[in-house]
Amino acid sequence: MSSVLKSRMAPRAGAGSERRPRYIRRAAVLGAGVMGAQIAAHLVNAGVETVLFELPAGGADKDANARKAIQGLRKAQPTPLAEPAVADRIVPANYDTGLGQLGDCDFVIEAIAERLDLKRELFARIAPHLPAEVLLASNTSGLSINALAEVLPDAVRERFCGVHFFNPPRYMPLVELIPSRSTRPAVLDELETFLVGTLGKGVIRARDTPNFVANRIGVFSIAATIHHAERLGIPADVVDALTGPAIGRPKSATFRTADVVGLDTLQHVVAGSAKLLDEDPWQGYIHLPDWLDGLVAQGALGQKTRCGVYRKQAGRIQVFDPARGDYRDARQQADEALQAILAERDPAKKLAALHDSDHPQARFLWAIQRDVFHYAAYWLGEIADNARDVDLAMRWGFGWTLGPFETWQAAGWQRVAQWIRADIESGQALAAVPLPDWVDTLDAVHRPEASWSALDYGWHPRSELPVYQRQYFPDRVLGEADQETGVTTFETDAVRLWHLQADVGILSFRTPQNAIGADVLEGVLAAVAEAEQRYRALVLWQPKAPFSVGANLKQVVDALEREDYDALAAMVARFQQATGRLRQARIPVVGAVRGMALGGGCEFVMHCDHVVAALESYLGLVEAGVGLIPAGGGCKELARRASALTPDGDVFPFIRNYFEMIAMGKVARSAVEARRFGLLRPSDTVVLNPHEILHVAHAHARALAESGYRPPLETPVRVAGKAGLANLKAQLVNLHAGGFISDHDFAVAEHAAAALCGGEVEAGSTVPEGWLLKLEREPFMALLRSDKTRERIVHMLKTGKPLRN
């Protein structure tokens, strides 16, 4: 079998490839359904010109069907668009009159219905219109790539492969890259480079086997979970309590995930898998129970119909109970005995406790993990290049914290193997097939330098494609070599100053969720002074997302309880000094952002000379949610930016938008939207792959240093003044009169308006930055003395949600 499979697996050209990967300027997506339209959206998110094809519509506008799909992108949640205007950049087309547009495309991807006959018919139709050297792909989730390739001319076939995005394409990291027997290795390298570097994806090279890698393991895992739940009488809500974060899976766990995906979609995927896997020893278990099929027949399809395994009734969450044939309140959790086991942090002890327990819920958790271990080991040589690819596929495609081989290895490879063999011999395992022989020869599948390949009984290192050299800290699997930690030059309990390259320093926080308290502020001030002595430039970057959730509310609450307002006033002043110190440092400071940058975290970002932000960066000045206004220089910075953007002196249109953002506590849903909000500048850089931001930030920091950097000179800020303030207050009066905002909302927003407008000065006046900082600082302290603000802060700290009072 190995020799046959080796012939199917096209090798990577890797670092030795002489040909520079092509620049993909224009793409076409064939099929404007949910996946096709969202793939098109993500392509334009990345700045790739994109044509979206759909069947021709009746009437004069043949592109109406594609146009309707593009408009539908604006309503989809979570939004596939980096910002709403992105949808306008997608060009609608149809197969009758638009195929000529393929002639100018570098990349064409098909995403129509999962039917082999329809896909082959479409490929035969478009083949005459494809330009020479175009890269052609199918987004099929499991159909044979070789079977699809058969209808293509030889010249096209060598440039054809599978490119399987996971849903939703913008947010799910995984893309599976599947060659046919004829695919040129260089084509795979070019596409992998494009998918990783331009679209920001994690790429796994799969083989042309049913369901490829992630769905092969994932669909089996779902089917096995449902089977064992029924066998042991564990209801759906308890299954979800057990199979979510408790075992390193997403919060939606099993049945909530099914509702989100759609029960009809799950039914189609599972049924399709069963048909394809006729030689799979586990095939008999790959099906859904009758009660789930019954829900689909009744139209209870999950989230999209507001009724599936779960529904909301009279404000209560209910779950379907097959025994009753009706819904009941969803209230069950894992038994206390299981909660104690699942609280164990040592994976070896945890899995051993599950294996040894007679509790039905423990037996359930052991069984579903045992069967996935067994299944993944049995099929490893057939479906994937190595164990690392399987583990990363499950992490990136299904949101698992650890892949199946990582979990097995963490719990003790040979010990778990013995347990699996014992269950196979006793008939407790779902399939009687033995573990592969290679399992006995290893004590781990992941080594520091490589991961195990069952195909050729060898160890495979990571890809050497140049695009991966941009990732200083890629996702690594358990047992792989530790990430480079760099050289520390200054540190406290709250911050660390270090470097990977001797001329550029990196400043990182060390607090939970990188929250900013007095310790971080002191650390930043000291670290910037140290960086000025040691480095040519500084990058502000956090090893783990979020960038920062903002102020350390616990420190604020502690001070409020002591009524230590002097300490709070000193902290606010120190906050303004810290952000100002970044702006006035003698060396350039570049922010490298991914994940949330809220409140004070956003203010730190706004004071960097340049920002490199991952697309999935969510910035916002959210202080209104806790009854405060931005006081770390955020209002001042927005006023300064409005002044710089309006040489004619009319700053109010910008101030009005900024005020709405602050008063409503809006958070940008992408780095692109953060530009529109004014929290990032047009000149700031957006990178789609979050693992590349540190590399790009280094390049920008070094370029600023090379250009003879000097800190910006402070210039007077032109403000909207009392005329602008009166306008904003009038809006607040109307909102308050209509019952849309509370008395305290009004008070908070009024202070924000004054800080943004420069207070009671004449419109068009210029004021120093220090004046604007005072207009932040003084009302901030006044609000801290308010009972309503205290209530909001305490509620946020306890629940993580804002309080409307």
Side-chain angles (χ1 to χ4, degrees), residues 394-406:
M394 296 311 298
R395 285 160 54 175
W396 294 340
F398 279 77
W400 292 12
T401 302
L402 296 176
F405 290 118
E406 290 178 287

Side-chain angles (χ1 to χ4, degrees), residues 409-424:
Q409 181 168 320
W413 184 262
Q414 282 302 329
R415 181 175 67 160
V416 173
Q418 290 173 6
W419 294 341
I420 298 172
R421 287 192 198 92
D423 282 4
I424 294 170

Side-chain angles (χ1 to χ4, degrees), residues 7 91 125 161 180 198 242 266 312 369 404 446 581 660:
S7 69
V91 179
R125 184 176 182 183
C161 64
S180 75
T198 301
L242 294 168
L266 179 64
K312 193 171 185 179
Q369 294 182 86
H446 300 306
R581 189 71 176 85
E660 179 183 321

Side-chain angles (χ1 to χ4, degrees), residues 105-118:
C105 291
D106 307 297
F107 175 52
V108 176
I109 181 168
E110 167 273 316
I112 65 171
E114 282 289 280
R115 281 181 48 184
L116 186 65
D117 58 335
L118 295 179

Side-chain angles (χ1 to χ4, degrees), residues 32-319:
V34 172
M35 281 300 291
Q38 294 204 27
I39 291 170
H42 196 59
L43 285 163
V44 290
N45 284 342
V48 179
E49 296 177 28
T50 302
V51 185
L52 179 62
F53 283 82
E54 187 49 282
L55 294 170
D61 184 6
K62 297 294 184 182
D63 298 331
N65 289 334
R67 210 180 305 279
K68 181 179 179 181
I70 294 168
Q71 291 305 313
L73 292 170
R74 299 178 184 273
K75 302 175 184 178
Q77 292 298 328
T79 177
L81 304 167
E83 64 171 341
V86 167
D88 298 331
R89 302 171 198 163
I90 304 174
V91 179
N94 71 87
Y95 301 120
D96 280 0
T97 64
L99 290 181
Q101 295 190 63
L102 295 175
D104 195 28
C105 291
D106 307 297
F107 175 52
V108 176
I109 181 168
E110 167 273 316
I112 65 171
E114 282 289 280
R115 281 181 48 184
L116 186 65
D117 58 335
L118 295 179
K119 291 178 186 288
R120 286 164 61 107
E121 180 182 336
L122 179 59
F123 283 139
R125 184 176 182 183
I126 67 167
H129 300 274
L130 295 174
E133 292 302 309
V134 69
L135 302 178
L136 178 64
S138 172
N139 184 58
T140 177
S141 60
L143 296 179
S144 170
I145 301 302
N146 283 304
L148 290 171
E150 289 173 356
V151 299
L152 296 170
D154 290 344
V156 177
R157 195 178 303 169
E158 66 180 12
R159 291 178 272 109
F160 171 72
C161 64
V163 174
H164 178 213
F165 286 84
F166 273 62
N167 191 27
R170 170 182 163 183
Y171 299 97
M172 296 303 291
L174 180 62
V175 174
E176 292 174 320
L177 189 59
I178 312 102
S180 75
R181 285 185 291 267
S182 304
T183 308
R184 284 202 320 251
V187 166
L188 298 176
D189 288 349
E190 289 177 341
L191 277 172
E192 185 165 358
T193 297
F194 171 70
L195 291 165
V196 172
T198 301
L199 300 189
K201 295 303 173 185
V203 171
I204 296 298
R205 295 201 186 183
R207 296 201 175 87
D208 189 20
T209 57
N211 287 354
F212 311 132
V213 177
N215 278 343
R216 183 67 175 271
I217 304 296
V219 170
F220 170 76
S221 176
I222 292 169
T225 297
I226 295 174
H227 166 79
H228 286 300
E230 288 208 308
R231 177 177 66 85
L232 293 165
I234 300 176
D237 49 348
V238 177
V239 169
D240 282 351
L242 294 168
T243 59
I247 59 169
R249 308 280 173 85
K251 290 181 180 179
S252 54
T254 301
F255 289 105
R256 290 188 186 279
T257 297
D259 273 354
V260 171
V261 170
L263 300 187
D264 54 338
T265 302
L266 179 64
Q267 182 188 59
H268 174 75
V269 170
V270 173
S273 297
K275 291 178 183 177
L276 293 170
L277 302 175
D278 54 347
E279 296 182 1
D280 192 313
W282 288 265
Q283 185 197 37
Y285 297 98
I286 301 177
H287 63 82
L288 296 180
D290 292 341
W291 65 268
L292 261 175
D293 289 334
L295 288 175
V296 174
Q298 296 167 26
L301 307 181
Q303 186 170 282
K304 57 190 171 187
T305 61
R306 299 186 179 181
C307 183
V309 178
Y310 293 91
R311 72 177 184 185
K312 193 171 185 179
Q313 191 84 350
R316 303 193 309 274
I317 302 298
Q318 297 186 322
V319 64

